[in-house]
Amino acid sequence: MESVSSSSASMALLPETFQGARDDIAGEIGLIWEQVKAPVIVPLLRVAAFLCLVMSVMLVVEKVYMAIVIVAVKLSGRRPDKRYKWESLHDDLELGNSAFPTVLVQIPMYNEKEVYKLSIGAACGLCWPSDRIIIQVLDDSTDPVIKDLVEMECQRWASKGINIKYEIRDNRNGYKAGALKEGMKHSYVKNCDFVAIFDADFQPEPDFLSRAIPFLVHNPELGLVQARWKFANSNECLMTRMQEMSLDYHFTVEQEVGSSVYAFFGFNGTAGVWRISALNEAGGWKDRTTVEDMDLAVRASLKGWKFVYLSDLKVKNELPSTFKAYRYQQHRWSCGPANLFRKMCMEIVRNKKVSLLKKVHVIYNFFLVRKIVAHIVTFVFYCCIIPATVLVPEVEIPKWGSVYIPSIITLLNAVGTPRSLHLVVFWILFENVMSLHRTKATFVGLLETSRVNEWIVTEKLGDAIKTKVVGKAARRPRIRIGERAQHFSSPVLGTWAYLFLTPKIDGRLDLEHLFECTSS
């Protein structure tokens, strides 16, 4: 009986012991926090908040400026065919088809089993004199089965009288830029005046060339005609709807403003037509970054070439429908511009062929604000600094910086896709989630670390999307935690934990309350 009573007494004492130890740890951590907060944390947080507020102002001024320009363009009716000469091309009674320029159509692809037929078929269906067009399929596929399928498809169209060339390499050096560069070296390209480029999932309408080429034929100062993307699978899931909102703003506002005011914008890498002489004068394709398209556009612009964007000329394509594919794509799109800015900033400053206004636009508006500041502000300010002020109430964020500016930016972005206005809250959450990946990729590009030239081809599903949706409805999905967890890196999980725990801590760092929240 004595042993039983003594053991029960010791068991009763254990919780009190743990409680006392917990209180001691909480007290020590609280004491250290109070000693460090005032001299270190508060000043650093105030500096960071000030810098983020400055960048927020830069970003909202850019957004408002572009909104004003778009309204002015729409009201004034300054369409591309009003700013530049455009006349339809017709057969000449004496010259015949020779009145049409020779056009090269390049289709770079890599293991595109699901979409190769769609892109090749669309390119072969373009309305243009058969003796004035060459379809060039640049196949870098490493899967021999897919290579055979693509080659057979090219042979099938060749048997119908289409001038189609199937080109392969024995390596993938330079990835897409390397393939396009090799494609331009073939002897038959010397007879071509213009080159149209379509990624493997892009399907141009038959009248694409007849609407785009006249701008280049009648306006010798133009080096590039860029069409708008039209998303075939935007309704597939909520993630594709969020992507549509972001990209619609890019095409509706950013590309339109660049074309209307500065005759410059970033080439989107596909659904565009280049004047070959402009491409060659700019130095051709370079693989020094993961945004070879933007690199070429900036270099051509510095040579004095002008660009025109056609918002009413749309080319159907596919959005990434998995988070993994989208994350890799966004890494490339965020890292590449930052790295290109690092490489070309001084070259732009020293250039003597373009005006000071255009230099400022390219360096400040195009690169600094849109490609660098926008990513940093979204993550550092909205996901880190503002939540941190819960722990440090001595640092106050003015209402105009924490409420008004984000609201203006959000509304200006959302108007590009009116049908998705009711999804704006989900879009905000989605953009905040992606801001960590984009910010990380931006610093990778600026600092030129090991992943700076990482290139992973975005997975495309093509017609398989329909069967995928049917399959989802037919079977019950199984949740595999291991497979899901591998998509999230430790910084992502750490950020989630930070954002989750911050609201649970009051301004005085009541650690007892923290333990109660985490233990309950």
Side-chain angles (χ1 to χ4, degrees):
M1 293 293 292
E2 292 180 358
S3 60
V4 173
S5 61
S6 61
S7 62
S8 61
S10 62
M11 291 294 291
L13 290 174
L14 282 175
E16 295 181 3
T17 304
F18 287 144
Q19 180 70 31
R22 191 182 72 175
D23 292 341
D24 291 341
I25 294 173
E28 291 178 3
I29 295 177
L31 181 61
I32 294 173
W33 171 258
E34 291 299 331
Q35 291 177 344
V36 172
K37 184 172 70 170
V40 179
I41 303 298
V42 172
L44 288 177
L45 196 57
R46 280 176 177 162
V47 172
F50 173 77
L51 293 176
C52 286
L53 285 171
V54 171
M55 289 190 289
S56 295
V57 172
M58 293 167 59
L59 185 58
V60 74
V61 168
E62 174 72 4
K63 298 284 186 180
V64 172
Y65 160 72
M66 289 192 292
I68 294 173
V69 171
I70 284 298
V71 172
V73 169
K74 298 299 182 183
L75 293 178
S76 63
R78 295 186 73 245
R79 300 194 306 272
D81 56 344
K82 301 294 183 182
R83 302 195 309 270
Y84 299 100
K85 183 180 179 180
W86 188 94
E87 291 180 1
S88 179
L89 300 178
H90 300 285
D91 291 335
D92 189 279
L93 294 177
E94 297 181 359
L95 300 177
N97 288 340
S98 60
F100 288 80
T102 304
V103 180
L104 174 69
V105 179
Q106 291 185 314
I107 310 175
M109 56 178 60
Y110 172 75
N111 292 338
E112 308 288 1
K113 182 179 179 180
E114 304 295 344
V115 296
Y116 73 94
K117 284 187 177 181
L118 300 177
S119 56
I120 294 175
C124 293
L126 290 170
C127 292
W128 204 253
S130 59
D131 60 334
R132 311 298 288 178
I133 185 172
I134 303 173
I135 312 296
Q136 187 185 67
V137 178
L138 304 170
D139 189 12
D140 272 358
S141 299
T142 53
D143 188 327
V145 175
I146 297 178
K147 290 184 72 171
D148 291 341
L149 291 174
V150 175
E151 185 175 11
M152 289 173 59
E153 183 68 10
C154 292
Q155 292 174 353
R156 186 174 74 86
W157 282 102
S159 65
K160 296 181 178 182
I162 301 297
N163 187 3
I164 185 170
K165 309 289 184 181
Y166 176 73
E167 307 290 357
I168 60 174
R169 301 188 292 166
D170 57 3
N171 60 71
R172 289 192 66 218
N173 294 340
Y175 304 109
K176 179 181 175 180
L180 293 171
K181 185 176 181 178
E182 286 296 317
M184 297 298 293
K185 292 181 179 180
H186 294 281
S187 58
Y188 54 82
V189 176
K190 296 179 182 179
N191 300 321
C192 298
D193 304 292
F194 308 109
V195 54
I197 303 169
F198 300 103
D199 283 350
D201 59 315
F202 278 71
Q203 304 169 55
E205 296 294 332
D207 63 347
F208 178 88
L209 294 179
S210 61
R211 295 174 64 184
I213 295 295
F215 280 100
L216 296 168
V217 171
H218 299 301
N219 303 276
E221 72 275 17
L222 288 179
L224 167 67
V225 173
Q226 174 70 60
R228 179 172 177 169
W229 296 2
K230 178 183 178 182
F231 312 113
N233 64 329
S234 59
N235 292 323
E236 182 184 353
C237 61
L238 187 60
M239 191 183 77
T240 54
R241 290 289 292 272
M242 302 299 101
Q243 294 178 62
E244 181 190 37
M245 292 179 69
S246 298
L247 288 172
D248 274 352
Y249 177 81
H250 167 69
F251 285 105
T252 304
V253 179
E254 293 179 346
Q255 298 293 74
E256 191 71 69
V257 170
S259 176
S260 301
V261 181
Y262 305 98
F264 166 79
F265 48 83
F267 174 45
N268 293 119
T270 178
V273 185
W274 277 94
R275 188 186 300 273
I276 292 181
S277 59
L279 192 153
N280 292 334
E281 185 182 351
W285 295 102
K286 293 186 178 181
D287 59 1
R288 55 181 176 174
T289 69
T290 57
V291 284
E292 72 293 325
D293 43 15
M294 186 182 297
D295 188 350
L296 175 60
V298 174
R299 286 184 281 112
S301 179
L302 295 180
K303 293 293 183 179
W305 290 99
K306 295 182 179 181
F307 309 155
V308 62
Y309 166 69
L310 306 180
S311 60
D312 59 343
L313 181 58
K314 300 178 182 180
V315 181
K316 186 166 67 172
N317 71 299
E318 180 184 323
L319 291 166
S321 54
T322 65
F323 181 73
K324 183 179 179 181
Y326 183 64
R327 182 162 57 88
Y328 284 133
Q329 182 198 68
Q330 291 302 296
H331 174 85
R332 192 170 72 244
W333 286 5
S334 302
C335 175
N339 188 233
L340 183 62
F341 177 68
R342 170 190 171 119
K343 294 178 182 296
M344 292 200 68
C345 183
M346 294 310 301
E347 181 180 345
I348 297 170
V349 171
R350 291 192 295 264
N351 185 273
K352 297 180 179 180
K353 286 191 175 182
V354 298
S355 65
L356 177 61
L357 178 63
K358 195 167 188 177
K359 289 182 183 180
V360 171
H361 170 70
V362 174
I363 293 176
Y364 176 78
N365 302 85
F366 183 75
F367 275 116
L368 184 61
V369 177
R370 301 182 199 170
K371 310 301 181 184
I372 298 175
V373 167
H375 301 322
I376 294 176
V377 165
T378 305
F379 175 66
V380 176
F381 191 40
Y382 302 138
C383 298
C384 297
I385 301 299
I386 292 180
T389 57
V390 176
L391 301 176
V392 188
E394 294 87 345
V395 179
E396 296 183 0
I397 306 294
K399 187 178 292 185
W400 59 264
S402 60
V403 178
Y404 299 146
I405 285 182
S407 299
I408 294 172
I409 292 174
T410 300
L411 291 175
L412 291 177
N413 273 278
V415 295
T417 313
R419 78 185 188 99
S420 298
L421 280 174
H422 63 291
L423 299 175
V424 68
V425 174
F426 295 102
W427 180 80
I428 294 171
L429 297 174
F430 180 73
E431 287 296 298
N432 283 339
V433 168
M434 293 306 303
S435 66
L436 170 61
H437 299 288
R438 291 172 181 151
T439 302
K440 183 173 66 174
T442 298
F443 281 109
V444 167
L446 287 174
L447 302 177
E448 213 163 38
T449 61
S450 58
R451 291 187 62 196
V452 68
N453 287 321
E454 180 183 76
W455 183 287
I456 298 177
V457 177
T458 305
E459 180 187 15
K460 305 172 187 75
L461 300 178
D463 286 341
I465 292 175
K466 299 177 183 178
T467 58
K468 177 183 175 184
V469 173
V470 172
K472 283 183 178 179
R475 67 178 184 272
R476 184 178 179 181
R478 292 179 297 172
I479 300 176
R480 297 181 179 178
I481 297 176
E483 293 180 1
R484 300 296 184 213
Q486 68 182 355
H487 296 314
F488 301 104
S489 59
S490 55
V492 175
L493 297 176
T495 303
W496 284 357
Y498 169 73
L499 294 175
F500 177 75
L501 290 176
T502 297
K504 296 181 179 294
I505 310 174
D506 64 13
R508 296 182 180 179
L509 191 67
D510 188 347
L511 289 175
E512 291 185 2
H513 179 61
L514 172 60
F515 278 111
E516 291 172 4
C517 291
T518 54
S519 61
S520 58

